[in-house]
Amino acid sequence: MDILQQITKLREERNWSEYRLAKEANLPQSTLLNLSKRCNSPTVPTLEAICGAFGISLSQFFAQADEGGDLTEEQKQLLDNWTLLSKTQKKTVMAYIYGLLQKNPPIK
């Protein structure tokens, strides 16, 4: 899967328009439109901003594009669902996991 296809896939999973992605990534909408129209790959800073909007790292972006590498099917599903969560939902899930494990969350 190429980079633009992966961006489109992640955007569509969230039911985001290109406008919404541009807003979440703090990028001009014209940047995203130019990527699609010209079939150009984004620059690294642009891709970092897009990944930030999706709540994933660059390595997660490319791991998902490569179908998860060495992850089990269960781990792939978990990661796919994780990327769809908001920041607040992620904090809630992490608190729940730490509660299940009876561990204290790391101090940040």
Side-chain angles (χ1 to χ4, degrees):
M1 180 176 292
D2 78 4
I3 292 172
L4 294 179
Q5 288 174 329
Q6 181 67 2
I7 292 170
T8 301
K9 174 183 170 273
L10 292 169
R11 184 177 56 77
E12 289 175 351
E13 285 176 352
R14 290 161 178 76
N15 294 316
W16 286 5
S17 63
E18 284 186 343
Y19 173 79
R20 169 87 187 269
L21 175 56
K23 187 174 180 176
E24 295 289 333
N26 200 25
L27 294 169
Q29 186 178 7
S30 60
T31 298
L32 296 180
L33 292 173
N34 285 334
L35 291 175
S36 354
K37 284 184 180 181
R38 296 180 183 165
C39 294
N40 290 336
S41 291
T43 63
V44 172
T46 298
L47 187 56
E48 285 177 326
I50 290 169
C51 288
F54 289 140
I56 60 174
S57 67
L58 284 172
S59 61
Q60 289 171 316
F61 176 87
F62 288 108
Q64 287 179 3
D66 292 338
E67 302 303 324
D70 294 334
L71 299 176
T72 66
E73 191 58 38
E74 186 178 51
Q75 290 169 328
K76 288 178 197 175
Q77 288 175 347
L78 185 60
L79 185 57
D80 287 344
N81 289 325
W82 176 263
T83 61
L84 299 175
L85 299 174
S86 69
K87 288 180 184 180
T88 302
Q89 290 170 322
K90 288 177 182 178
K91 286 181 182 180
T92 302
V93 169
M94 289 304 296
Y96 181 71
I97 289 170
Y98 282 114
L100 287 173
L101 297 173
Q102 297 179 349
K103 294 172 76 176
N104 293 324
I107 299 172
K108 291 188 178 183

